[in-house]
């Protein structure tokens, strides 16, 4: 009897659904077909009916929401690990320690411990690839209407743009890389230099780094509509063709993450002062055309050298561990370190203020306001024994 009742309920429900479907089909046969078709596509459950621009217009940080928290929670559940606490600074995925000698948890798969040396060996190969490197003297050899000063002004302005749209640091580094590589291959007039800048940032944000990047119209607006949408898109295509769509390239930030971990291996807690001072020096290096000739890994190593010197001037800034992992000796870093030191003391690029103003903020530990000795002792550049 129970089975019969169950059968009746199922049959009635089925008949009810069939009747509703038939009624819909009679009114509009295509509507029923589309309804079923659309329903199959919704594989993640019910979706809220938000306007098309609602997601991009919401900034999690403005609502006090940690945008990385859902991903961290999902990882923690999957790995059955405690959820890491949210600090004032949310680290991007990939910032974790990657070296066996700088982490005590060899069982954590997120640390990529077994592959760290192979990963960075590959990144070193990539950074020396001629296809991914700008010419060290492209302004003298290729350009006729652009000067190092113009390039510095453009980079300084792009730092402000990145701050305005809350773009990732990696987006900024890629943008400058695209600009230098394009100018190494193509002669450009000064009136199109800003167009090259916004189009490069459009590529690095929309096609590479950002989850919710600015729109093309935003980049037109930020130039006070000096360029049209069509001009920006046309320049975007020209850049991609010139670079042969080879966009991926390790940046200073890529190596800085590793070297910063090595520099702090003896610390019980992360030294945010050293970390933010390193980020500040790295972004200062983008302003100076003379730093184009240095490999990203060498600039990153020089940044750590100088940051450690500024924080503790009386202690030798280089260690055997840093030399082992960076592959650079103090004498090899000397030229780059001295340029960075001049930039830090405003003996170079003093009129370019965007990076300096940015890192005076409290959220960056006021890294730009830290005092530094005017000179670096010569003996600090003597090679140390392993």
């Amino acid at each position: 009897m129970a089975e019969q009742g169950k059968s009746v309920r199922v049959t009635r429900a089925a008949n009810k659904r069939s009747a509703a479907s038939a009624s819909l089909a009679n009114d509009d046969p295509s509507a029923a077909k589309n309804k079923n078709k659309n329903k199959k596509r919704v594989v993640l459950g019910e979706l809220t009916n938000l306007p098309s621009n609602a997601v991009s217009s919401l900034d999690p940080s403005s609502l006090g929401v940690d945008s990385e928290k859902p991903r961290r929670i999902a990882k923690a559940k999957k790995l059955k690990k405690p959820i890491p606490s949210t600090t004032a600074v949310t680290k991007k995925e990939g910032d974790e320690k990657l070296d066996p000698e700088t982490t005590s948890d060899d069982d954590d798969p997120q640390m990529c411990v077994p592959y760290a040396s192979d990963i960075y060996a590959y990144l070193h190969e990539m950074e020396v690839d001629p296809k991914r490197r700008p010419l060290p003297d492209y302004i003298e050899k290729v350009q006729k209407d652009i000067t190092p000063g113009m390039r510095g002004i453009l980079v300084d302005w792009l730092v402000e743009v990145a701050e305005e749209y809350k773009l990732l640091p990696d987006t900024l580094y890629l943008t400058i890389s695209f600009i230098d590589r394009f100018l190494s291959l193509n002669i450009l007039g000064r009136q199109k230099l800003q167009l090259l800048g916004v189009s490069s940032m459009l590529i690095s944000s929309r096609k590479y780094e950002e989850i919710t990047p600015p729109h093309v119209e935003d980049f037109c607006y930020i130039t006070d509509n000096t360029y049209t949408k069509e001009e920006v898109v046309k320049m975007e295509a020209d850049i991609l063709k010139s670079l042969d769509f080879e966009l991926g390239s390790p940046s200073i930030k890529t190596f800085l993450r590793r070297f910063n971990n090595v520099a702090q291996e003896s610390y019980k807690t992360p030294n945010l002062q050293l970390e933010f001072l390193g980020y500040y020096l790295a972004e200062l290096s983008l302003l100076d055309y003379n730093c184009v000739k240095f490999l990203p890994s060498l600039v990153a190593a020089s940044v750590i050298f100088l940051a450690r010197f500024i924080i503790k001037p009386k202690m030798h800034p280089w260690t055997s561990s840093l030399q082992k992992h960076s592959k650079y000796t103090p004498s090899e870093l000397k030229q780059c370190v001295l340029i960075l030191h001049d930039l830090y003391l405003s003996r170079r690029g003093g009129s370019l203020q965007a990076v300096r103003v940015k890192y005076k903020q409290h959220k960056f530990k006021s890294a730009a306001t830290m005092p530094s000795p005017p000179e670096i002792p010569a003996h600090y550049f003597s090679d140390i024994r392993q």
Side-chain angles (χ1 to χ4, degrees), residues 197-233:
V198 293
S199 297
S200 296
M201 187 163 277
L202 175 67
I203 295 171
S204 60
S205 61
R206 292 188 66 83
K207 290 183 168 54
Y208 215 87
E209 288 291 345
E210 304 292 335
I211 296 175
T212 54
H215 298 287
V216 180
E217 292 81 2
D218 294 321
F219 286 112
C220 295
Y221 170 78
I222 206 71
T223 65
D224 198 23
N225 293 311
T226 303
Y227 309 104
T228 64
K229 179 179 178 180
E230 290 72 24
E231 287 178 309
V232 174
V233 173

Side-chain angles (χ1 to χ4, degrees), residues 97-111:
K97 294 180 180 180
L98 294 175
D99 190 83
E101 296 183 21
T102 59
T103 178
S104 59
D105 191 358
D106 292 346
D107 297 325
D108 189 347
Q110 295 185 71
M111 298 302 180

Side-chain angles (χ1 to χ4, degrees), residues 7-71:
S7 176
V8 170
R9 286 195 297 273
V10 172
T11 303
R12 284 176 181 170
N15 287 337
K16 189 175 181 180
R17 287 195 299 270
S18 298
S21 180
S23 175
L24 181 63
N26 289 334
D27 294 337
D28 185 357
S30 63
K33 183 178 180 181
N34 289 337
K35 182 180 178 183
N36 292 333
K37 183 178 180 182
N38 291 337
K39 191 170 183 180
K40 290 179 182 178
R41 288 181 177 273
V42 185
V43 295
L44 298 177
E46 295 297 323
L47 302 178
T48 55
N49 295 321
L50 291 174
S52 59
N53 64 344
V55 176
S56 61
S57 63
L58 291 177
D59 180 5
S61 62
S62 66
L63 303 177
V65 178
D66 180 5
S67 59
E68 292 285 350
K69 189 173 182 180
R71 181 161 54 184

Side-chain angles (χ1 to χ4, degrees), residues 304-319 323 328-335 337-338 341 372-373 375-385:
I304 294 296
F305 184 104
L306 183 57
R308 285 169 61 91
F309 168 74
I310 292 172
I311 292 174
K312 294 184 178 181
K314 295 184 179 180
M315 186 179 75
H316 198 295
W318 210 233
T319 66
Q323 184 164 306
Y328 293 111
T329 62
S331 60
E332 293 172 320
L333 301 177
K334 182 177 180 179
Q335 186 181 4
V337 168
L338 293 178
H341 195 221
S372 170
E375 303 296 334
I376 302 174
H379 69 271
Y380 281 174
F381 295 109
S382 301
D383 292 347
I384 58 177
R385 295 179 181 178

Side-chain angles (χ1 to χ4, degrees), residues 231-252:
E231 287 178 309
V232 174
V233 173
K234 172 65 168 56
M235 177 59 80
E236 176 190 25
D238 291 343
I239 295 170
L240 291 171
K241 289 177 183 176
S242 292
L243 303 186
D244 198 24
F245 293 85
E246 294 281 357
L247 303 183
S249 180
S251 68
I252 299 169

